[in-house]
Amino acid sequence: SIAHMVAPAGWSEPFQTPEFDEYTYVIKGKKQFNIEGEIVVLKAGESIKIERNVRVQYANPFEEPCEYISVCTPAFSIDLVDREE
């Protein structure tokens, strides 16, 4: 699946351990990744691959929205994302 996304300022998701690989390419702004306790921040023009079965939290704790492209293989499914409560 391919999605064009906008994460508003101050946004975050719960930790998850998805059963798919996820590639993220940042178009504008910044996006934060907490990958098994390691914080990674991407800026416009940067990309990352998060391997399946890796615990990750996605967030935008910054003051401006983040526009990005997300590619999931296999396709994103709510049944495969395994979000924590």
Side-chain angles (χ1 to χ4, degrees):
S1 63
I2 300 172
H4 176 230
M5 309 285 289
V6 176
W11 164 87
S12 70
E13 289 186 339
F15 275 95
Q16 54 196 321
T17 307
E19 300 173 41
F20 47 80
D21 295 334
E22 184 167 354
Y23 300 83
T24 301
Y25 174 77
V26 176
I27 299 167
K28 289 186 349 185
K30 295 186 283 189
K31 186 174 179 187
Q32 178 177 289
F33 304 77
N34 183 335
I35 306 164
E36 296 186 340
E38 179 184 351
I39 303 297
V40 175
V41 175
L42 293 185
K43 301 177 290 187
E46 297 180 330
S47 62
I48 193 169
K49 176 187 180 188
I50 306 295
E51 300 279 342
R52 69 187 73 199
N53 302 316
V54 170
R55 186 172 184 257
V56 62
Q57 180 189 39
Y58 300 104
N60 178 10
F62 309 106
E63 295 181 5
E64 64 182 55
C66 176
E67 181 181 0
Y68 63 99
I69 300 292
S70 176
V71 178
C72 299
T73 59
F76 176 89
S77 164
I78 198 68
D79 294 330
L80 299 177
V81 75
D82 299 327
R83 288 193 177 126
E84 297 177 13
E85 296 291 322

